[in-house]
Amino acid sequence: MIHKLFSYFTPDDCTTDNKPIQLAPAGNVNKELPQPTGQVDVAKNKKTQVCLPQFKDVELQNLVTEVIVPYRAIFEAQKALDGVCRLLDLFDMHGDCPSIVDRWWDPDNELRSHKNVLSLVTLTSHTSRVAKNAIKLLKAEYRHDHENLVPMIVVMALAHDIGKIPALRDGNPNYTMADHVVISAAKTEEIFRGIHWLPKVIDAINNHHRAG
């Protein structure tokens, strides 16, 4: 599935004013992470910026440390950091739901014996793994030119299955392969409206279950 994400963009898609964005040293960015949700750093007349929240889910917090913090300057420059934090908040509040579609498991399905095991994988856990693996693939594919693509790829990874969250389905715990994709795309468009690479993200979400 992750490999399909790479067919929706080229290395020139995520620059700002056609110029690469320079990364801040990871150590400097890390120092800002513990700031509480909703506050902004205005000390020493610095430019106001979105602060990263702390998450109670350990997997989400690790994801922030490994995938968001090192590229924070690029997320901010592409105006994607606030939206990413909104997605992470959704997972922190509702991501303990199963990552599989329950009605997919037909009694005669040859994989039915694996249902109980797979149902223990939460949506947060699945999504975190997808995001981390997507960044690994991105680095391998583009090596030194991957940084400006990170926000788009992270949003693709985080948002592709958010339609499985019951809270986004009027409390309905059941979903199908088709309808959760529609909800995922709609919610992503709502959160990231106006960002220039959004159409490619929506296209990737809409097609991530299709063969080829």
Side-chain angles (χ1 to χ4, degrees):
M1 186 276 293
I2 296 174
H3 286 283
K4 295 179 183 179
L5 299 179
F6 293 98
S7 65
Y8 294 99
F9 65 88
T10 60
D12 295 329
D13 284 331
C14 295
T15 56
T16 299
D17 297 328
N18 296 320
K19 296 179 181 179
I21 301 167
Q22 298 299 317
L23 286 174
N28 293 337
V29 180
N30 252 326
K31 293 179 181 178
E32 298 169 344
L33 183 58
Q35 296 177 11
T37 308
Q39 295 185 11
V40 293
D41 181 12
V42 294
K44 298 181 181 179
N45 295 319
K46 290 182 179 179
K47 182 178 179 180
T48 301
Q49 59 183 358
V50 178
C51 290
L52 298 175
Q54 296 289 297
F55 299 100
K56 63 179 183 290
D57 188 281
V58 174
E59 284 188 282
L60 280 182
Q61 196 59 53
N62 289 339
L63 181 67
V64 169
T65 301
E66 296 176 28
V67 175
I68 309 301
V69 170
Y71 304 98
R72 175 174 182 154
I74 296 177
F75 279 97
E76 290 181 330
Q78 295 184 17
K79 298 180 173 30
L81 185 59
D82 182 62
V84 167
C85 288
R86 288 179 63 185
L87 287 178
L88 294 172
D89 279 335
L90 275 175
F91 285 109
D92 208 30
M93 292 186 290
H94 308 292
D96 57 348
C97 60
S99 62
I100 63 170
V101 47
D102 187 63
R103 66 175 66 168
W104 180 78
W105 296 95
D106 187 280
D108 296 325
N109 192 290
E110 62 180 1
L111 296 178
R112 65 186 180 277
S113 62
H114 299 290
K115 174 185 175 181
N116 290 336
V117 174
L118 292 177
S119 65
L120 296 177
V121 178
T122 66
L123 185 59
T124 292
S125 181
H126 163 67
T127 303
S128 296
R129 292 174 188 174
V130 170
K132 291 178 181 179
N133 287 333
I135 294 302
K136 290 179 182 178
L137 287 170
L138 182 65
K139 289 180 179 179
E141 183 76 15
Y142 292 104
R143 299 183 180 237
H144 303 297
D145 298 320
H146 73 279
E147 289 91 351
N148 288 300
L149 298 169
V150 168
M152 182 170 67
I153 288 299
V154 169
V155 172
M156 284 182 182
L158 291 179
H160 78 283
D161 274 347
I162 57 174
K164 294 178 179 179
I165 295 175
L168 299 182
R169 310 178 49 76
D170 296 325
N172 185 354
N174 297 315
Y175 58 88
T176 65
M177 188 175 292
D179 62 8
H180 90 264
V181 168
V182 173
I183 294 172
S184 297
K187 188 64 177 178
T188 303
E189 188 164 13
E190 172 193 321
I191 293 175
F192 294 94
R193 186 175 291 117
I195 296 181
H196 69 281
W197 40 251
L198 178 61
K200 292 198 173 188
V201 171
I202 299 301
D203 197 22
I205 291 172
N206 284 332
N207 290 283
H208 78 272
H209 277 299
R210 296 183 182 177

